Each structure stands twice: as C-alpha cells, then as structure tokens.
Amino acid sequence: MIQVMYFAWVRERIGLPREKVETSAGTVRDLVEELAAREARYAAAFADLSALRVALDQELADFDAPLDGVREVAFFPPMTGG
Amino acid sequence: MIQVMYFAWVRERIGLPREKVETSAGTVRDLVEELAAREARYAAAFADLSALRVALDQELADFDAPLDGVREVAFFPPMTGG
Amino acid sequence: MTVRVQEETFDIGAEAGAFAVRAGGQAGAVVTFTGVVRDRPGGGLREMVIEHYPGMTERALSSIEAEAVSRWALTDSLIIHRFGPLAPGDQIMMVATAAPHRADAFAAAEYLMDYLKSRAPFWKKEIAADGAEWVAARDEDEAALHRW
Amino acid sequence: MTVRVQEETFDIGAEAGAFAVRAGGQAGAVVTFTGVVRDRPGGGLREMVIEHYPGMTERALSSIEAEAVSRWALTDSLIIHRFGPLAPGDQIMMVATAAPHRADAFAAAEYLMDYLKSRAPFWKKEIAADGAEWVAARDEDEAALHRW
C-alpha cells in the first residue's frame, strides 16, 4: 500500500490530493501506467511525463526508480517557487 | 590659485586637509613635483605615485591630466569603501 | 541556519535587521533577496496562490541550505517561504546570507535562489479576473542551475 | 533612485522594508547588501573611522547608480554609506536594488558594490589597542571591476 500524492494542476486534473494505492508496480513508470489505465482524468494527468516530476518519500526521483520500500510517491509539475 | 585637498594617510602625512596653492603647473604631475619639492612631509606623501589617486574637480583623473581651468585637486590613496 | 515555511507574512525589515544583528562582528557582508508578487504587465492579478508539499518542502530547503553552507564560507543563512493566497505586492519569500566577504554572501544567495526556484516543491497559481492559471516553469530557471 | 551619505546609523530593517514597499507590485525581486564592521580575526578592533570626500562622494555614488540603472532593468535602487567613527558590528553601508527579475537585481547590486568599493572616495582606518592603520585596498576589489 503506497500513499500517492498529487500537487498543483496534477491534483486538479485527477481531482484529489492523495490516495492509498494497492499496487505491485516495480517502478514509478509501472505505477504511472496502472494509474493512467484507471480513468480518463488519470490518463489526462499522466499524458506527458516530460511535464511531470516525481518524488519518492519526499526526495526527487526518476520515473525509472524502483518502488521497493517506498511509502510515499508524489506527482507534480516542475516547481515554480521563489 | 588651486584648492588642493588631501585625504586619509596623505592628509595625515602632509599634516593638513586642504590648502590654496599658487601654481602654474601644467599637469597634475608638475603640481606633484612642485609640492614634493617643498618639504620632507610632502616628499614623503608623494614618494610613490602608484600608491596615490587624484581627482580633478571631484572626478578621478590621471597624473598626466592638464590643470587648465581646474579649481580643485585632491590626492588620496586607493579607495576602500563598502 | 534557519528555514521557515509559513502561511503568515513576515516583516522583511525585522528579519533583515535581526539577521544583521545576529551576524554581528563576524560577518562583513549580509545579502538578502526578497521575492514579491508581481502584478501582470497589464495589471489584473487578483491573487497568487502558493501550494507546497508539507514535509518535503522543509527537507528540500534544508538540504539546499546545507549545500550552500558547504560551498561558501557563511556565518549564517535564512530561508523563509510563504504558502497560501497572496496579493500583488505581498512578499513571497526571502533568503539571507552572511559571510566575511561579499563575494561569498552574493554567490550563496544566488545559489539558494536558483535551487529554491526549481528544486523546492512550491507551485504558483495566478488568479485573475479572466481566469486562473498555474505559472509555468521557465527554461532560464532550469538553465540557471548549470552554472553551479 | 536614492543616494545618501550620512554620519548617523540607519535601520537596515526599516530601509529594506520601505524599499520593498516602494517597489510594490512592479518589482518581483529585491536584493539588499549590507556591509558590517568586522572585528579583526583575533579581536581587538576598537573602532573603524570612515573618511570621505564630501561632494565628490555623492557625485561618484550617483554616477555609479546611474550606470547600473542604464545597464539593468531596475525599478528602484538605493545606496546609503556612512562616515565617521563606527564600532565593530555597526552597519557601514547598504545598497538595494529592485527589478522585475532576480538576475537583474543581483547583478546590479554586485555592480554597485564593486564600483562603490573602488571608485567612491571612502577610506577606512582601523583603530585597535595596538595602534591605528589605514585599510589597504585589496587587489581582488580592483580585479572585480573587470568582470563588468
């Protein structure tokens, strides 16, 4: 069971800020494919991975990173702080 | 008649902050030579021109600059503000 | 070394003053950067909402700050970043650095800003009369990281 | 655009705050630099006396500021420099710049500092228990001018 979080327009497009996901996905990319297959709003949010960033347990990561032991996955657009 | 001003250690070495000087020196360098010839304290202050800066009417200038029409000449070490 | 992530505003004056006092006789140079909500070129910005990722934000900022401290001779540093709804002219964030020499203080402040812009989980949304829009990341901001 | 040369101290807090407020919704980025009297490495600095050239100082600072304004897109700038006797930890001077983008605000503030250091008629004398000494200009400060 992984906590999946969404921020900014990813959150708005999917329509919720976080959810528990039961998955056996090996990598972030596998998880993205599972989510995108669920419903159109997920497919829309994950349509262009180059427009997305991912963090695993609050550290920036690649879409090819493994999910072993990861408790929290977050998807969001490039940051725009400052 | 030119107003000659001294700052920082130049002022301390010469022993006064400013003086009126009657001169027909053509350039700053000529004026320096006249002053240096006056007394040991002037000679000491002007011993090394590379350690000095000069301003003519409050603008930085070269030692070869002409004195035509100049009313105020200032000698001082390199600036150390900020 | 201080990181604060907060919804409430801050007094840039008081922060900069306290920072300079704290740096005391050790630092010769104190640099501050303050980010302010800018209206749109033609006006009309109603508010800017800043979203962030609680927990990760503090971690990211602390790690950016630690990296700056390891690269430059700093005597102190500060990062404050707000979240929530802001109005044009409001302060969004500030960084401050103190160092014996000005080159270190300037470089560290620019480094903190560059990384904070692109590596700390904040997102800005502009709300105007004609609609709302998430601010897009600028290529220049990503490119700025390559100079370090 | 403001230049002030004064003996009395200034409140970096109040100045930075007023400056940010004045910049208002136009500037997204405000940078300040504050110079503080640093004690000697081993301590013992009693006071620092700053001498200047009244008249020329204001002219030189205004001209440095005008050059910065012509080079970068600034919405505002400020230079304050003190003269007279100062104690360790006292603020010597500050510059502030406001611009739509941070790169301009940072570059202009560094430019102002580099030129102010070597082209404005100020001289520092350190008074310590073991004697008094005029601070020597640093080669790095002169070299810093070449980057602009």
Side-chain angles (χ1 to χ4, degrees):
Chain A
M1 193 79 107
I2 291 183
Q3 165 95 316
V4 181
M5 307 178 75
Y6 310 110
F7 292 96
W9 60 253
V10 183
R11 171 179 55 70
E12 290 178 342
R13 208 162 287 181
I14 291 177
L16 76 177
R18 68 186 65 209
E19 59 185 320
K20 299 273 188 199
V21 173
E22 186 67 60
T23 180
S24 57
T27 67
V28 176
R29 201 176 295 276
D30 296 338
L31 174 61
V32 166
E33 277 167 26
E34 281 184 21
L35 292 169
R38 281 182 170 183
E39 284 179 52
R41 58 194 167 103
Y42 286 93
F46 290 108
D48 177 10
L49 287 196
S50 75
L52 291 183
R53 300 289 179 269
V54 61
L56 302 184
D57 289 334
Q58 307 188 353
E59 297 278 353
L60 285 171
D62 291 331
F63 283 90
D64 293 322
L67 290 179
D68 314 324
V70 168
R71 286 160 308 171
E72 189 172 299
V73 177
F75 295 103
F76 42 78
M79 292 92 138
T80 54
Chain B
M1 194 79 109
I2 291 182
Q3 166 95 314
V4 181
M5 307 179 75
Y6 310 111
F7 292 96
W9 60 253
V10 183
R11 172 178 54 69
E12 291 179 340
R13 210 164 285 179
I14 291 177
L16 78 179
R18 67 186 65 209
E19 59 186 319
K20 300 272 187 198
V21 173
E22 186 66 60
T23 180
S24 57
T27 67
V28 176
R29 202 176 294 276
D30 297 338
L31 174 61
V32 165
E33 276 166 25
E34 282 183 22
L35 293 169
R38 281 181 168 183
E39 284 178 53
R41 58 196 168 100
Y42 286 94
F46 290 109
D48 176 11
L49 287 196
S50 75
L52 291 183
R53 300 289 179 269
V54 61
L56 302 183
D57 289 334
Q58 307 189 352
E59 297 278 354
L60 285 172
D62 291 330
F63 282 90
D64 293 321
L67 290 179
D68 314 326
V70 168
R71 288 161 307 172
E72 190 172 298
V73 177
F75 295 104
F76 42 78
M79 291 91 139
T80 54
Chain C
M1 315 300 156
T2 309
V3 166
R4 274 161 39 202
V5 182
Q6 61 190 47
E7 186 152 9
E8 64 272 24
T9 191
F10 56 88
D11 180 338
I12 176 196
E15 297 292 343
F19 191 78
V21 167
R22 216 158 54 226
Q26 300 314 303
V30 176
V31 170
T32 71
F33 177 93
T34 310
V36 179
V37 178
R38 201 151 48 102
D39 202 349
R40 293 173 159 195
L45 182 68
R46 201 178 289 161
E47 73 180 20
M48 174 175 273
V49 180
I50 299 185
E51 182 169 331
H52 79 122
Y53 182 172
M56 179 172 169
T57 308
E58 291 78 0
R59 288 169 67 129
L61 294 179
S62 296
S63 128
I64 292 166
E65 191 181 49
E67 180 66 22
V69 166
S70 80
R71 287 182 181 225
W72 290 283
L74 303 182
T75 57
D76 204 357
S77 65
L78 166 72
I79 303 176
I80 303 175
H81 205 301
R82 297 176 66 189
F83 58 90
L86 305 178
D90 281 359
Q91 291 134 207
I92 304 174
M93 48 72 61
M94 77 178 282
V95 305
T97 55
H101 297 292
R102 76 184 185 288
D104 289 327
F106 270 119
E110 291 200 63
Y111 176 94
L112 289 177
M113 282 309 304
D114 284 354
Y115 272 83
L116 185 157
K117 276 258 168 202
S118 308
R119 292 293 182 268
F122 290 102
W123 302 274
K124 291 187 184 130
K125 187 175 194 174
E126 291 183 346
I127 319 287
D130 59 353
E133 202 169 13
W134 289 98
V135 174
R138 306 189 322 152
D139 290 342
E140 305 93 280
D141 287 332
E142 189 64 30
L145 301 183
H146 298 310
R147 59 178 166 153
W148 304 109
Chain D
M1 315 299 158
T2 309
V3 166
R4 273 159 43 200
V5 182
Q6 61 189 47
E7 185 152 9
E8 64 274 22
T9 191
F10 56 88
D11 181 337
I12 177 196
E15 297 292 344
F19 190 78
V21 167
R22 218 159 51 228
Q26 299 314 302
V30 176
V31 170
T32 71
F33 176 93
T34 309
V36 179
V37 178
R38 202 152 46 104
D39 202 350
R40 293 171 160 194
L45 181 68
R46 201 178 288 162
E47 74 179 19
M48 173 175 275
V49 180
I50 298 186
E51 184 169 329
H52 80 123
Y53 182 171
M56 179 172 169
T57 308
E58 291 78 359
R59 287 169 66 128
L61 294 179
S62 296
S63 129
I64 291 166
E65 191 181 49
E67 180 66 23
V69 166
S70 80
R71 286 183 180 224
W72 290 281
L74 303 182
T75 57
D76 203 358
S77 65
L78 166 71
I79 304 177
I80 304 174
H81 205 301
R82 297 176 67 189
F83 58 89
L86 305 178
D90 281 358
Q91 290 134 209
I92 303 174
M93 47 72 61
M94 79 178 281
V95 306
T97 55
H101 296 291
R102 75 184 187 286
D104 289 327
F106 270 118
E110 292 200 64
Y111 177 93
L112 290 177
M113 283 309 303
D114 284 355
Y115 272 83
L116 185 158
K117 276 258 167 201
S118 307
R119 292 293 181 270
F122 291 102
W123 302 273
K124 291 186 184 133
K125 187 175 193 174
E126 291 182 346
I127 319 285
D130 60 353
E133 201 168 13
W134 289 96
V135 173
R138 305 189 322 152
D139 289 343
E140 304 93 279
D141 286 331
E142 189 64 29
L145 300 182
H146 298 309
R147 59 177 166 152
W148 304 109

